Amino acid sequence: MDANPPKRKETRKSLRIKVISMGNAEVGKSCIIKRYCEKRFVPKYLATIGIDYGVTKVQVRDREIKVNIFDMAGHPFFYEVRNEFYKDTQGVILVYDVGQKESFDALDAWLAEMKQELGPHGNMENIVFVVCANKIDCTKHRSVDESEGRLWAESRGFLYFETSAQTGEGINEMFQTFYSAIIDLCDNGGKRPPSSTGVGFTKEQADAIRRIRNSKDSWDMLGVKPGATRDEVNKAYRKLAVLLHPDKCVAPGSEDAFKAVVNARTALLKNIK
Ligand SMILES: Nc1nc2c(ncn2[C@@H]2O[C@H](COP(=O)(O)OP(=O)(O)OP(=O)(O)O)[C@@H](O)[C@H]2O)c(=O)[nH]1
């Protein structure tokens, strides 16, 4: 018997995965998929009717994966058609248009729709989500900035990419990272590996940044009632300053939030005796 039989080349099993796209109508879901799969851009809007389905083979790291892509129509009218396709999904491409604030605000509703359709036993924790802030080529009309989008995504443990289906910017990187994370998930028995869940900042920090960003005036920003005393303003300021100090907080947008808090305190103290 041959003591050194030729080593059989190790071939890793190819994977078969299901990916869906979600997000409001016209944010560019179909165009993102087309840009990646067909390397082209279609400027004319052709609404997806219900669902578009495609299969594609891709090579990621040393693995071949067969991807079943379900491109969902964003229009509310197609809810009845969409709702059947949420199950058994490994990855979700969640898209908004950076020039349409309402499409960003709608992301929570998309997650809620999926959660509802998956039912009480569905587990959203073990799905890879990538958020695409799309149409970044339209710089003049941008209404959701990068830190706001990134904060929303990363505070949920989602990937975040800035993309343009028109120019192709960010598209390949997004898909490669997305598929790579899905491979890690599959190799980890369908569970998100622990290394991919830590975001480096707390929910309290993320919530504070969001609240500061949406505050209507300096009182609101510091979380004190109009007419609060110097002491109350200083106390609220110190709490936020510790929470958001750039040396301690790595959450997207923390630096701007910190500056805004400093300015709010200065403005309020000027007018309080
Ligand atoms: N400037 C610009 N336009 C884009 C981009 N991506 C998509 N569009 C345009 O936006 C419109 C909508 O794109 P679609 O990909 O059809 O949008 P969708 O999200 O699939 O829409 P539904 O099928 O209705 O859910 C089209 O006119 C596209 O040409 C982009 O990155 N930049």
Side-chain angles (χ1 to χ4, degrees), residues 4-209:
N4 294 309
K7 278 193 185 143
R8 207 184 299 155
K9 204 176 159 210
E10 283 241 353
T11 48
R12 304 188 74 182
K13 246 185 16 188
S14 74
L15 277 177
R16 188 184 277 258
I17 62 169
K18 176 182 168 186
V19 161
I20 62 173
S21 69
M22 277 167 29
N24 279 7
E26 281 192 65
V27 293
K29 300 179 293 298
S30 306
C31 285
I32 287 174
I33 294 167
K34 237 177 223 121
R35 165 60 77 186
Y36 184 69
C37 297
E38 299 172 24
K39 312 275 175 263
R40 66 191 180 101
F41 175 70
V42 187
K44 192 167 180 282
Y45 174 47
L46 292 166
T48 305
I49 309 296
I51 300 276
D52 260 355
Y53 168 72
V55 189
T56 175
K57 264 189 196 161
V58 288
Q59 188 81 24
V60 181
R61 307 199 311 236
D62 59 340
R63 298 288 276 276
E64 181 180 89
I65 51 179
K66 193 170 174 188
V67 189
N68 292 285
I69 304 187
F70 294 80
D71 179 22
M72 300 216 188
H75 200 282
F77 180 76
F78 295 111
Y79 167 68
E80 295 292 339
V81 185
R82 278 196 306 265
N83 64 10
E84 308 208 352
F85 291 88
Y86 284 115
K87 291 202 172 72
D88 305 317
T89 296
Q90 281 84 36
V92 175
I93 305 169
L94 195 50
V95 185
Y96 69 92
D97 173 348
V98 294
Q100 294 282 336
K101 180 82 165 58
E102 57 279 19
S103 71
F104 174 67
D105 293 338
L107 295 181
D108 282 311
W110 282 101
L111 290 183
E113 179 175 308
M114 180 169 193
K115 198 169 172 31
Q116 181 182 320
E117 293 315 316
L118 292 183
H121 303 297
N123 188 355
M124 308 260 289
E125 291 301 306
N126 291 323
I127 296 172
V128 176
F129 284 84
V130 64
V131 175
C132 293
N134 194 40
K135 305 199 188 182
I136 54 164
D137 55 283
C138 302
T139 44
K140 276 195 194 142
H141 308 288
R142 185 152 188 167
S143 56
V144 185
D145 68 25
E146 178 174 352
S147 64
E148 192 172 7
R150 195 177 277 285
L151 181 71
W152 188 92
E154 293 183 355
S155 61
R156 287 164 177 77
F158 297 172
L159 300 165
Y160 173 87
F161 280 86
E162 301 245 304
T163 58
S164 166
Q166 187 187 68
T167 65
E169 195 176 340
I171 302 288
N172 282 345
E173 297 89 317
M174 182 276 286
F175 273 102
Q176 286 293 311
T177 311
F178 178 55
Y179 289 146
S180 197
I182 295 176
I183 292 175
D184 289 342
L185 175 108
C186 295
D187 287 349
N188 196 44
K191 292 204 169 90
R192 252 203 260 181
S195 60
S196 70
T197 48
V199 291
F201 55 87
T202 64
K203 182 170 183 306
E204 193 187 3
Q205 287 171 326
D207 288 347
I209 294 168

Side-chain angles (χ1 to χ4, degrees), residues 255-266:
E255 223 174 295
D256 286 346
F258 180 75
K259 280 186 206 150
V261 166
V262 172
N263 292 340
R265 177 199 183 219
T266 311

